[in-house]
């Protein structure tokens, strides 16, 4: 365990389903991130939160909806996904924004959309 | 973040020293060089960070020449468990900002027995 816990580890969902990914950290970090990693592609930054406020949204489709209820928890709500959304979704946290030294990643959720 | 270039893949054998070089010709004065390691189906893990000359920790060494236009991650006496993707990132960690870390394709290191 790295200090960032993601659940579930694996998820299979249909294109009409609604599901949520959960990320939790108790490292006292103030910034949290969602990344997407598709097969044979670099990690893509999706969302950035600092002190529970969204500060970055990298043109992510609206079928992905993040939520940060407090500094320890981050959710990614999924609805009406497409098969090309199948990927490894990674959550990370850092003490502050752009703290390249202290990014801690979770183990990810392997999502398959059928 | 400055653009980085590193080999797509490398092969080596157990017990050997592995050196992965990263080019970053447009590195800025305030930029640091950071390396991450990623195993399959896991998130990246911080390995080492440096600004100039040499940095060493229990996992690796990082060599940075005077012009800072490249850097070399050195893994001493690798084992099979060092098989992973290694990412080189260059960026300014000062002054705040909201763009997060940007990862390239990394170097896929394969260690054979």
């Amino acid at each position: 365990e790295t200090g960032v816990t993601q659940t579930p580890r694996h998820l299979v969902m249909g294109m009409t389903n609604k599901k949520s990914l959960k990320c939790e950290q108790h490292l006292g970090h103030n910034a949290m991130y969602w990344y997407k990693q598709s097969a044979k592609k670099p990690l893509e930054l999706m969302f950035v939160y600092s002190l529970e406020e969204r500060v970055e949204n990298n043109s992510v489709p609206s079928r992905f909806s993040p939520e940060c209820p407090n500094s320890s928890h981050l959710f990614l709500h999924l609805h009406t996904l497409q098969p090309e959304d199948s990927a490894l979704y990674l959550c990370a946290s850092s003490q502050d924004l752009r703290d390249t030294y202290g990014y801690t990643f979770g183990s990810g959720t392997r999502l398959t959309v059928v | 973040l400055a653009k980085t270039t590193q080999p797509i893949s490398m092969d080596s054998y157990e017990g050997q020293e592995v050196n992965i070089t990263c080019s970053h010709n447009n590195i800025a004065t305030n930029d640091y060089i950071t390396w991450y390691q990623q195993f399959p189906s896991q998130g990246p893990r911080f390995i080492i960070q440096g600004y100039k000359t040499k940095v060493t920790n229990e996992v690796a060494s990082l060599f940075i020449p005077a012009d800072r236009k490249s850097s070399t991650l050195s893994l001493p006496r690798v084992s099979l468990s060092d098989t992973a993707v290694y990412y080189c990132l260059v960026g300014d960690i000062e002054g705040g900002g909201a763009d997060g870390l940007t990862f390239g394709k990394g170097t896929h290191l394969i260690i054979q027995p």
Side-chain angles (χ1 to χ4, degrees), chain A residues 16-75:
Chain A
T16 59
N17 291 158
K18 291 184 180 181
K19 297 287 184 182
S20 296
L21 309 184
K22 179 181 177 182
C23 176
E24 184 174 356
Q25 60 91 6
H26 294 289
L27 300 170
H29 288 172
N30 296 317
M32 296 186 77
Y33 313 82
W34 278 116
Y35 282 85
K36 174 185 177 183
Q37 188 171 34
S38 303
K40 301 187 185 300
K41 288 187 177 181
L43 282 84
E44 303 171 50
L45 180 64
M46 300 176 73
F47 299 105
V48 179
Y49 276 83
S50 176
L51 297 172
E52 303 149 42
E53 289 190 15
R54 189 192 310 180
V55 295
E56 182 79 6
N57 175 356
N58 282 355
S59 301
V60 178
S62 59
R63 57 186 184 269
F64 295 92
S65 174
E67 178 190 5
C68 189
N70 55 61
S71 60
S72 299
H73 295 85
L74 185 65
F75 294 89

Side-chain angles (χ1 to χ4, degrees), chain B residues 24-99:
Chain B
H24 28 79
N25 292 321
N26 296 322
I27 190 168
T29 303
N30 291 334
D31 285 345
Y32 282 72
I33 301 156
T34 310
W35 287 80
Y36 280 76
Q37 174 193 56
Q38 185 180 22
F39 297 115
S41 296
Q42 293 188 28
R45 180 178 73 106
F46 171 90
I47 300 177
I48 197 166
Q49 184 181 72
Y51 183 81
K52 63 180 179 180
T53 63
K54 176 184 175 183
V55 180
T56 297
N57 62 23
E58 66 277 7
V59 176
S61 294
L62 179 60
F63 298 92
I64 305 168
D67 65 6
R68 304 200 327 121
K69 292 184 183 300
S70 67
S71 58
T72 299
L73 175 72
S74 181
L75 305 173
R77 300 184 60 79
V78 293
S79 64
L80 296 176
S81 63
D82 291 315
T83 293
V85 179
Y86 292 81
Y87 298 95
C88 167
L89 292 87
V90 173
D92 179 4
I93 65 171
E94 304 292 335
D99 54 358

